[in-house]
Amino acid sequence: MKFFRLFAILAITILSCNQKQKERIPPVIAPFTTVDTLSINDWWNRADNPIINLKVNRDSTVAFGIYTVSNKVLKLSAQLYPLYPEETREVRLETMNNGKWTQIQTQKVNDLGWSALFRVENWDDTQDTKYRIRHGANAVYEGLIRKDPKDATTISLAALSCNSNKDRGMRENYVRNINYQNPDLIFFAGDQSYDHTEHTAAWLKFGLQFKETFRNRPAITIPDDHDIGQGNLWGENGKVSTVKGSSDGGYTYHPEYVKMVERCQTAHLPDPYDPTPVKQGIGVYYTNLLLGGVDFAILEDRKFKSGPKGKIPQQGPRPDHIRNPKYDPRSIDLPGLTLLGDRQLQFLKHWGDTNKEAIKVVLSQTGFCGGAHIHGQKENRLHADLDSNGWPQTGRKKALQLIQKAHAIHIAGDQHLATIIKQGITEFGDGPWSFVVPAIVNDYYSRWWWPEDEKPGANPNPNTSLPWTGDYLDGFNNKISMMAYVNPESNSKGGGYGLIRFNKQKQTTTFECWPRYVDVTKANAQQFEGWPFTIPLEKAKN
């Protein structure tokens, strides 16, 4: 009897020691302590938060996967929920071959952001392939890697932006509509997260909302200012910003936080054109993706851009807002100011000179002009907003010249205001077409296209009832031709998404713009006024 008591005491002691040993396994200590606090260090001791439940069942640790395939290279990011110290950091990728699951790669999970990247060369893009991501014994996420739709007559792209946290709900309407329309590719242009200092939790929430749109199709995601914790971003080649609002240029938060955000959102994109980091060791992701005979250039239109503070004459209480319509736009277009930067201009030139048989499309965070007059609320009229890519004007001109030379169209987000604009470089209409898509949630900081004289410009769009279309000068004296816009009084408060159809047979592009609360499965579903809008395609000349 004494022996059994001793054995029991010894067993309890061993179990206790093992448990204490587990408890003593230190978590990875993050180099930042004021951001991402819900998901770093001893994250499990944090109270419940309003963003998302991070303490999931351990059979659900794989949150989602997101992928692209280009030039026969598969890149797939596995996004996990935060892991406990004793849990494995290994994640596995399996594919279905001849009716059986085969493990093709393992990768380590990074404790900062809880993601891992699979990169598979010589991918067979001629057939659909089922995949699954596995973690531990039971956590599984399954999806489909689509074949390259190179034989399809029409290639379609769904484009979304600005997933405001003013609405924490799910996005059932978007998921239903997008899956019904079944685009070949989905593009999230930025601001997937509005929880500035808690990117991991917000990114997981975004995945919970939208993963059924990209579980079975490729997706492009690029971060914008809110994703990296700033209201505006003028990246200035990665420098440190030291003023509130970051109008001096650069990044406010720790570079490892910025790198984590970009790793989670862009690691699955095709390899960057030139991977050389910018200042603070922050990486780059500008690149191109080939899909179905369409060549998408993916830009970082904020990372190299100059900040206005201290570089140009300040025109009002804020360095980035100009309210005086009588100021001289030439006074702020000064030598040394940058928009895309030399590196991206070189990329655009090379991209335009190659794959000339493909349809060319540029994807970026925001538009290349000032396409809004009123910001936030009706009484807040701005003549010019330096957060837009209408400034600096010389940088805009250089970018548009290369986009036009490639005969590319431009798709972007950020503005919360859907617009179709024919850009002017030297004359009205001599630049590329651009479609800025609406906000996913437009209940926060809406914008309006509302000319102060409430008159149409020259050459208005004859095929719309919208009152203010035609040729205008924006607040930087850039020439723009407004063809359609969605002010927030419209259906769904102007919130919604874009669908772009590239018809290779007819050589046309059709822009569609769908309100958030419309059900596209119904026969009477209506787009916003002014859409659909079809333009002829041009091909770059050899």
Side-chain angles (χ1 to χ4, degrees):
M1 193 69 172
K2 183 182 292 185
F3 171 78
F4 286 112
R5 281 202 303 270
L6 288 171
F7 180 81
I9 291 169
L10 179 60
I12 291 170
T13 302
I14 291 171
L15 287 172
S16 176
C17 287
N18 285 342
Q19 183 62 35
K20 287 181 179 178
Q21 185 178 9
K22 280 187 176 183
E23 290 174 356
R24 285 199 299 268
I25 296 174
V28 169
I29 303 301
F32 43 79
T33 57
T34 60
V35 287
D36 225 44
T37 59
L38 300 174
S39 306
I40 60 170
N41 302 337
D42 59 336
W43 62 269
W44 54 89
N45 288 326
R46 305 295 187 272
D48 292 341
N49 68 83
I51 305 173
I52 194 172
N53 174 28
L54 297 173
K55 301 167 187 174
V56 297
N57 183 290
R58 306 328 288 170
D59 290 347
S60 303
T61 52
V62 184
F64 60 88
I66 189 167
Y67 75 89
T68 61
V69 178
S70 186
N71 289 316
K72 295 188 179 296
V73 176
L74 165 69
K75 294 185 73 177
L76 186 153
S77 283
Q79 181 62 55
L80 277 70
Y81 286 92
L83 301 174
Y84 291 100
E86 63 270 20
E87 290 184 289
T88 178
R89 275 16 182 203
E90 183 180 87
V91 64
R92 294 108 64 196
L93 176 62
E94 299 177 350
T95 56
M96 177 72 78
N97 299 292
N98 299 318
K100 294 182 179 179
W101 287 107
T102 303
Q103 181 174 302
I104 63 170
Q105 202 171 107
T106 64
Q107 291 294 340
K108 294 295 183 182
V109 177
N110 192 322
D111 284 33
L112 298 182
W114 305 106
S115 67
L117 175 66
F118 299 101
R119 187 181 190 280
V120 185
E121 297 186 358
N122 300 314
W123 182 262
D124 182 1
D125 62 5
T126 64
Q127 60 182 349
D128 293 340
T129 302
K130 292 182 179 179
Y131 73 92
R132 67 183 187 186
I133 302 164
R134 302 195 65 181
H135 175 257
N138 300 312
V140 179
Y141 176 91
E142 294 188 16
L144 180 73
I145 298 169
R146 295 191 179 192
K147 67 179 182 180
D148 190 328
K150 58 186 177 182
D151 296 326
T153 299
T154 299
I155 302 299
S156 57
L157 169 75
L160 303 93
S161 177
C162 305
N163 188 34
S164 173
N165 61 8
K166 294 297 180 181
D167 180 344
R168 295 283 191 189
M170 296 297 286
R171 307 291 186 245
E172 299 94 334
N173 281 16
Y174 288 109
V175 173
R176 178 200 61 227
N177 287 355
I178 289 169
N179 284 338
Y180 180 79
Q181 292 169 328
N182 195 23
D184 299 288
L185 176 66
I186 188 164
F187 169 47
F188 293 93
D191 295 341
Q192 284 70 251
S193 161
Y194 273 77
D195 290 280
H196 285 190
T197 59
E198 298 294 345
H199 178 265
T200 299
W203 175 242
L204 286 164
K205 179 70 172 183
F206 162 80
L208 185 65
Q209 293 166 326
F210 283 102
K211 67 182 178 182
E212 297 307 326
T213 66
F214 53 74
R215 181 191 293 271
N216 300 318
R217 65 173 54 82
I220 294 168
T221 51
I222 58 175
D224 202 1
D225 42 17
H226 293 283
D227 295 291
I228 52 93
Q230 299 180 205
N232 291 310
L233 172 63
W234 299 270
E236 283 210 14
N237 203 41
K239 63 171 279 207
V240 178
S241 173
T242 59
V243 305
K244 185 178 180 181
S246 5
S247 58
D248 59 332
Y251 292 81
T252 297
Y253 289 116
H254 196 288
E256 291 301 323
Y257 182 69
V258 176
K259 289 163 67 176
M260 180 194 76
V261 171
E262 294 192 350
R263 180 168 60 247
C264 288
Q265 294 207 25
T266 70
H268 69 287
L269 299 182
D271 297 343
Y273 175 77
D274 172 5
T276 306
V278 295
K279 293 176 182 177
Q280 302 190 78
I282 295 170
V284 298
Y285 56 82
Y286 63 91
T287 186
N288 75 300
L289 180 147
L290 282 164
L291 181 77
V294 182
D295 192 354
F296 297 92
I298 303 166
L299 297 183
E300 301 185 66
D301 41 319
R302 301 196 191 277
K303 182 165 283 180
F304 299 92
K305 185 177 178 179
S306 301
K309 185 175 177 61
K311 302 179 186 68
I312 62 172
Q314 187 163 322
Q315 304 289 330
R318 280 180 54 164
D320 57 325
H321 285 177
I322 298 175
R323 299 184 183 277
N324 176 18
K326 296 182 179 179
Y327 92 109
D328 182 0
R330 295 171 298 181
S331 69
I332 61 170
D333 188 24
L334 302 177
L337 296 175
T338 294
L339 181 54
L340 294 184
D342 291 341
R343 290 173 58 179
Q344 285 194 107
L345 292 174
Q346 176 59 40
F347 160 64
L348 271 181
K349 182 178 186 304
H350 178 264
W351 173 76
D353 289 339
T354 56
N355 299 318
K356 290 190 176 183
E357 71 286 352
I359 295 170
K360 296 283 190 173
V361 182
V362 171
L363 305 176
S364 74
Q365 292 144 331
T366 196
F368 287 90
C369 65
H373 298 104
I374 297 172
H375 294 237
Q377 44 196 328
K378 284 282 189 72
E379 58 272 20
N380 189 31
R381 176 175 289 274
L382 293 182
H383 184 69
D385 177 16
L386 278 75
D387 177 54
S388 79
N389 282 345
W391 176 85
Q393 299 95 310
T394 296
R396 169 191 180 265
K397 182 177 180 180
K398 290 177 180 178
L400 290 181
Q401 284 174 329
L402 290 172
I403 295 171
Q404 178 62 21
K405 184 180 178 183
H407 294 294
I409 65 165
H410 177 224
I411 312 295
D414 173 64
Q415 291 294 300
H416 301 198
L417 171 68
T419 57
I420 294 177
I421 291 172
K422 188 70 159 71
Q423 302 280 6
I425 302 172
T426 303
E427 304 295 336
F428 285 106
D430 66 351
W433 285 99
S434 66
F435 179 15
V436 170
V437 301
I440 295 167
V441 176
N442 203 32
D443 300 344
Y444 171 72
Y445 207 83
S446 299
R447 290 181 174 91
W448 286 258
W449 172 259
W450 199 304
E452 194 164 20
D453 63 5
E454 298 187 346
K455 292 181 180 179
N459 306 305
N461 181 356
N463 300 314
T464 183
S465 62
L466 293 167
W468 305 314
T469 64
D471 298 340
Y472 294 88
L473 296 176
D474 73 4
F476 307 104
N477 269 11
N478 298 316
K479 295 179 174 65
I480 61 175
S481 300
M482 179 65 73
M483 292 291 106
Y485 55 89
V486 180
N487 282 337
E489 293 87 359
S490 305
N491 189 2
S492 305
K493 296 184 179 180
Y497 67 102
L499 187 72
I500 303 94
R501 302 183 191 271
F502 308 100
N503 190 307
K504 294 184 286 187
Q505 188 175 56
K506 295 181 178 179
Q507 287 295 291
T508 59
T509 294
T510 298
F511 302 129
E512 300 180 7
C513 197
W514 292 96
R516 177 181 181 183
Y517 296 117
V518 163
D519 184 348
V520 303
T521 69
K522 305 297 184 184
N524 62 349
Q526 295 291 317
Q527 299 181 48
F528 286 115
E529 169 59 29
W531 280 265
F533 191 94
T534 299
I535 61 170
L537 282 170
E538 294 183 78
K539 288 289 187 72
K541 306 295 190 297
N542 288 317

